Amino acid sequence: MNANLTREEAVRLLQKYNQEPFHLLHALTVEGVMRWYAKELGYEEDADFWGMAGLLHDIDFEQYPDQHCVKAEELLKEAQAGDDLIHAVCSHGYGICSQVKPEHLMEKVLFASDELTGLIGAAAKMRPSKSCQDMEVSSLKKKFKDKRFAAGCSRDIIRQGAEMLGWELNELFEKTILAMRSCETSVQEELDRLS
Ligand SMILES: [Fe+2]
């Protein structure tokens, strides 16, 4: 798999189209989560690629929300990104704003974890620790079931993602909490540097 971009180029590209700290935080978080998943699922040699798909998956969302996952193709082509990366980015909106179906395991993980990282991040903010380091699956499950909590995080998409992967929701929750724990500190440090 070839992204055709260095991480430095990808970060520059991200910043070209994203200024909001919220969007930068989300991009860096999904990058870290994807890197964790690559290692967890036996794709360590592709961890840079998995991470880059996470870093750039919402590249077009801040400036072109109405063309999400469509404008991305143009922006990434302009930046000479590889086709694999473009496919992965566009597929994360499958059935919502894109016709590109997640095929590779990495694309299914991106689809499943993107929305869930939002829910975990919102749940972490409510904790005394303000962190997911001490978050248990049971408390995340409660937040998942409470439809008024972080109502913008679609439970249906999270469910669909788990189904795509052939995982129980619990497994997706457990793994994604671990993934977010693994990068929480480094993401915050990098966000402070970037913004
Ligand atoms: Fe996203």
Side-chain angles (χ1 to χ4, degrees):
M1 297 184 127
N2 183 12
N4 215 17
L5 295 172
T6 64
R7 183 170 188 277
E8 212 183 314
E9 289 167 336
V11 170
R12 242 181 279 136
L13 189 63
L14 174 73
Q15 286 188 289
K16 183 174 172 189
Y17 296 107
N18 292 266
Q19 273 87 49
E20 293 282 340
F22 172 82
H23 286 134
L24 296 174
L25 172 65
H26 177 63
L28 293 168
T29 301
V30 179
E31 177 191 29
V33 164
M34 290 299 288
R35 292 190 69 90
W36 182 91
Y37 266 114
K39 286 175 200 152
E40 171 72 11
L41 301 176
Y43 288 82
E44 187 150 13
E45 72 279 9
D46 287 328
D48 289 345
F49 184 87
W50 285 48
M52 200 169 291
L55 185 69
L56 295 177
H57 80 283
D58 276 341
I59 184 80
D60 59 1
F61 191 55
E62 186 176 308
Q63 290 191 22
Y64 309 95
D66 299 336
Q67 298 173 70
H68 187 35
C69 297
V70 175
K71 192 75 181 177
E73 183 176 0
E74 189 187 314
L75 305 183
L76 291 170
K77 270 193 177 148
E78 238 170 57
Q80 320 287 329
D83 290 341
D84 289 345
L85 184 67
I86 295 174
H87 191 277
V89 166
C90 295
S91 75
H92 94 273
Y94 179 61
I96 311 145
C97 50
S98 163
Q99 309 291 322
V100 181
K101 198 173 175 190
E103 307 281 359
H104 192 279
L105 179 62
M106 173 267 301
E107 296 175 334
K108 294 176 186 174
V109 170
L110 178 61
F111 184 97
S113 60
D114 172 24
E115 200 77 5
L116 183 55
T117 62
L119 186 68
I120 296 174
K125 268 194 203 154
M126 307 293 293
R127 304 180 69 76
S129 63
K130 305 267 182 259
S131 161
C132 57
Q133 300 301 330
D134 57 354
M135 185 187 293
E136 300 294 337
V137 173
S138 55
S139 91
L140 179 60
K141 260 164 92 177
K142 277 187 210 136
K143 299 289 186 201
F144 182 84
K145 284 185 189 151
D146 177 0
K147 292 194 180 97
R148 285 163 307 174
F149 179 78
C153 293
S154 164
R155 277 47 171 186
D156 277 349
I157 293 177
I158 296 170
R159 261 193 221 99
Q160 266 179 53
E163 216 167 279
M164 232 181 238
L165 287 163
W167 296 355
E168 295 292 333
L169 267 181
N170 258 16
E171 188 178 354
L172 179 65
F173 288 173
E174 198 182 306
K175 284 191 162 76
T176 309
I177 289 174
L178 292 174
M180 281 186 70
R181 281 186 196 163
S182 78
C183 62
E184 192 176 49
T185 308
S186 57
V187 162
Q188 194 52 54
E189 284 169 2
E190 188 164 11
L191 183 66
D192 292 343
R193 276 198 302 274
L194 292 181
S195 47

